[in-house]
Amino acid sequence: NAGVTQTPKFRILKIGQSMTLQCTQDMNHNYMYWYRQDPGMGLKLIYYSVGAGITDKGEVPNGYNVSRSTTEDFPLRLELAAPSQTSVYFCASSFPPRSSGGRLITDTQYFGPGTRLTVL
Amino acid sequence: GEDVEQSLFLSVREGDSSVINCTYTDSSSTYLYWYKQEPGAGLQLLTYIFSNMDMKQDQRLTVLLNKKDKHLSLRIADTQTGDSAIYFCAERPTGTASKLTFGTGTRLQVTL
């Protein structure tokens, strides 16, 4: 399994340009997530999806859009890039939480290698 | 809302033990996680602990949870230069559809 893959690895955009960050997973995970990591900060959740056709906003969704037409793919779209969107973007995926013997089994998130985006 | 705090930096000599601390605010958290991020790489899950446990050991890693004080720690025994990385604590509050709240990360520097 390749796990979670992201493209591109690096990108420089001009203000106002648009682009799509790609994310694919081959683990048949229902849940997928997009995070951004600013320098010296933890990860902030942008959007997440609990299955194909279902997406929801995270903590910092403004300026981004997502779609989930297949289980495997969860692209993140920036329509009008702004300098404030300069960051490292991580995609992650997981199974949903599930129970076994009355006990919740954790839904470990697996992360991609990240996309470093600079907006000038 | 949820908040997770960590100190930003820790320096340790090779062979010593490292202890990375984390405090969180949401008492309903079900699971607490430790992730490792090496330079230029994504996050790698190291270990996790269920909220009804107070300790979990996994080879060189020991996780201690003080639920009363909402304090989580990660101890790395016999720290090696390959352990140099940023370590993130994360919590998953109950009923949040698997959304994690991450701390700011602690940069561990291992010196010779």
Side-chain angles (χ1 to χ4, degrees):
Chain A
N1 285 356
V4 180
T5 55
Q6 292 182 237
T7 57
K9 285 189 166 47
F10 305 94
R11 185 71 186 269
I12 299 175
L13 283 182
K14 292 184 179 177
I15 294 172
Q17 284 186 318
S18 61
M19 77 163 293
T20 299
L21 283 68
Q22 301 291 345
C23 174
T24 300
Q25 53 89 12
D26 62 359
M27 296 174 281
N28 206 28
H29 286 164
N30 303 84
Y31 287 21
M32 294 187 76
Y33 316 81
W34 274 106
Y35 294 90
R36 60 177 285 173
Q37 183 183 28
D38 297 328
M41 304 290 286
L43 279 71
K44 301 284 187 188
L45 183 65
I46 305 171
Y47 269 96
Y48 68 100
S49 168
V50 299
I54 307 169
T55 63
D56 208 345
K57 293 178 181 177
E59 190 179 350
V60 290
N62 291 346
Y64 306 95
N65 278 304
V66 292
S67 59
R68 185 95 183 272
S69 55
T70 67
T71 300
E72 295 79 19
D73 301 304
F74 191 40
L76 177 73
R77 178 100 181 139
L78 283 72
E79 290 294 350
L80 288 169
S84 61
Q85 293 178 303
T86 294
S87 190
V88 182
Y89 291 83
F90 289 101
C91 178
S93 69
S94 73
F95 286 119
R98 57 196 188 278
S99 296
S100 174
R103 178 171 170 158
L104 182 70
I105 298 174
T106 188
D107 44 347
T108 302
Q109 292 189 20
Y110 295 86
F111 283 79
T115 294
R116 186 175 295 273
L117 176 67
T118 302
V119 182
L120 301 173
Chain B
E2 307 93 14
D3 195 20
V4 180
E5 293 189 359
Q6 302 177 237
S7 53
L8 289 178
F9 186 76
L10 176 67
S11 181
V12 173
R13 282 182 184 259
E14 189 179 38
D16 287 351
S17 293
S18 309
V19 179
I20 302 170
N21 294 301
C22 169
T23 57
Y24 61 97
T25 56
D26 193 322
S27 58
S28 70
S29 290
T30 311
Y31 283 95
L32 296 131
Y33 304 81
W34 283 105
Y35 280 86
K36 177 183 180 182
Q37 184 183 33
E38 294 181 6
L43 276 70
Q44 172 197 357
L45 179 68
L46 281 180
T47 187
Y48 63 91
I49 188 165
F50 189 50
S51 59
N52 71 353
M53 300 166 65
D54 51 20
M55 186 180 98
K56 182 178 179 182
Q57 187 147 5
D58 185 1
Q59 298 182 348
R60 291 190 298 123
L61 305 179
T62 303
V63 179
L64 295 178
L65 175 61
N66 181 329
K67 199 173 177 185
K68 175 173 165 290
D69 294 338
K70 300 193 189 79
H71 181 267
L72 183 74
S73 67
L74 174 70
R75 179 176 181 270
I76 306 173
D78 186 25
T79 311
Q80 303 297 308
T81 53
D83 295 323
S84 292
I86 301 176
Y87 291 81
F88 291 93
C89 167
E91 63 170 351
R92 183 172 89 73
T94 306
T96 55
S98 302
K99 290 187 287 184
L100 296 181
T101 300
F102 285 85
T104 53
T106 298
R107 181 179 295 277
L108 175 65
Q109 179 184 59
V110 182
T111 58
L112 296 173

